[in-house]
Amino acid sequence: MATLITGIGELTTNDPELGKLHDAALVLDGDKVAWVGSAADAPSADERVDVDGRAVLPGWVDSHTHLVFAGDRTAEFEARMAGKAYRAGGIAVTVGATRAASDAELSANLRRHVDEALSQGTTCLETKTGYGLNVKDEVRSARIAAEVADEVTFLGAHLVPPGAEAESYVDLVCGEMLDAVAGLVRWVDVFCEKGAFDAAQSARVLEAAIARGLGARVHGNQLGEGPGVQLAVRLGAASVDHCTYLSDDDVEALASSSTVATLLPACDLSTRQPLAPARRLLDSGATVALASNANPGSSYTTSMAFCVATAVLQMRMSIEEAVWSATAGGAQALRRDDVGVLRVGARADVHVLDAPSVTHLAYRPGVPLTYSVWQRGTQAGGSPRTRWTKVPERP
């Protein structure tokens, strides 16, 4: 079934050759984009949907979430808002709740959050394990995530669990735990931070993953300048995430590498940390992605639009830079070229705004602007205001 989406006032393609189009149209055929161009030149299709001058962009690509969890950390959030500093150790609270939850409870909670994200335009989503921290619970977290998420990351090296010795736990992560989850995940991540894992321990985890053919990711430089960025670049990690505190050498290393700097502004705000230096990174030539870091402790939001608005209003990114970073940038952080872009052959992930341009994402912060969403060519979510009239085109 081919669908012509026409009447597009502004079309953000993220394709260097196509650029931004006006009075445009798209044809979706199955789960792929089959045609892009001027509405006046659009071919016929099985059905036609007129979006009446609205803006269209690729679906958000959220390349960093932690959504296999149970429990609640409202009390921790309240304490931070009252002035208590953020510490990595709060993860242990979620670990206890996650271990105690059933598979059905974890799966239902994951699906609820993924559906929530989809309703706001997120069509490609990565999520991590990391709230099990033993072989059994990391494996089941990976299995549950693989049933729902586009990309799954093993984060056994999230925190040394209470009662464990750090080096022995790293041995477990690099050996039995990694062996058990390797067939369920594409990526391995490590929290390279004071209070979590040091540079040598983090390198052991990532090198073990790379030896098994898995991709590397790093949580780094969130709580202060540290070794995370340099480790990520040295090992060719796809992404280093947070990047809140960066030295000049860190910025230079990112600018001269293929490692994406994934910024998590909702987390910076929720933990009352400084916002990551997006302008400095972009001006250096580094590749920047934006992601939600959706998790129950430090960033409990699935709203990529909130991240985009924050990046524009508070991090000195232009609207074009922020939208690119939340779509094509996220795709690069996942080493994908089929999402985050609208061109022939790309996955048919389409986000329609109830606005004439993407500028309104920052111009009208906090306003729910998602009007409709197609994921893999199927209309999947959006505002309850959406009332399309699909007009048959072919007999």
Side-chain angles (χ1 to χ4, degrees), residues 329-383:
Q332 287 200 19
L334 296 171
R335 296 287 194 258
R336 296 183 64 148
D337 60 9
D338 63 325
V339 295
V341 62
L342 292 172
R343 61 169 173 246
V344 173
R347 203 169 86 173
D349 290 352
V350 178
H351 184 189
V352 183
L353 300 181
D354 195 13
S357 72
V358 293
T359 301
H360 284 240
L361 290 161
Y363 181 48
R364 305 195 68 208
V367 177
L369 292 179
T370 296
Y371 195 78
S372 191
V373 182
W374 276 262
Q375 184 183 48
R376 297 183 183 88
T378 299
Q379 193 170 348
S383 166

Side-chain angles (χ1 to χ4, degrees), residues 194-210:
K194 184 177 180 180
F197 298 90
D198 65 22
Q201 293 163 343
S202 299
R204 283 182 60 200
V205 171
L206 296 178
E207 287 166 355
I210 292 167

Side-chain angles (χ1 to χ4, degrees), residues 90-116:
I91 294 163
V93 175
T94 303
V95 170
T98 302
R99 288 178 176 178
S102 68
D103 287 12
E105 289 169 333
L106 292 177
S107 180
N109 197 46
L110 171 61
R111 290 178 185 277
R112 176 172 66 86
H113 287 99
V114 170
D115 287 347
E116 178 182 272

Side-chain angles (χ1 to χ4, degrees), residues 26-113:
L26 287 168
V27 175
L28 313 182
D29 195 352
D31 63 354
K32 303 293 184 186
V33 176
W35 184 89
V36 185
S38 168
D41 300 326
S44 61
D46 297 300
E47 60 185 21
R48 176 171 58 87
V49 174
D50 190 333
V51 300
D52 196 23
R54 292 180 172 86
V56 171
L57 64 155
W60 303 127
V61 180
D62 193 348
S63 62
H64 184 130
T65 79
H66 304 251
L67 292 175
V68 184
F69 74 88
D72 179 90
R73 284 161 66 184
T74 305
E76 177 188 327
F77 176 79
E78 289 179 342
R80 282 204 307 275
M81 297 305 101
K84 185 177 179 180
Y86 173 71
R87 295 287 183 267
I91 294 163
V93 175
T94 303
V95 170
T98 302
R99 288 178 176 178
S102 68
D103 287 12
E105 289 169 333
L106 292 177
S107 180
N109 197 46
L110 171 61
R111 290 178 185 277
R112 176 172 66 86
H113 287 99

Side-chain angles (χ1 to χ4, degrees), residues 129-130 132-135 138 154-161 164-182 185 187-191 197 201-209 212 214:
T129 71
L133 306 189
N134 60 37
V135 174
E138 284 296 299
F154 168 53
L155 185 56
H158 202 183
L159 191 74
V160 178
E165 188 273 328
E167 290 300 325
S168 296
Y169 183 68
V170 172
D171 290 341
L172 178 66
V173 170
C174 293
E176 181 183 357
M177 196 180 287
L178 181 54
D179 288 339
V181 304
V185 304
W187 304 99
V188 174
D189 202 341
V190 60
F191 194 8
F197 298 90
Q201 293 163 343
S202 299
R204 283 182 60 200
V205 171
L206 296 178
E207 287 166 355
R212 288 168 172 79
L214 299 172

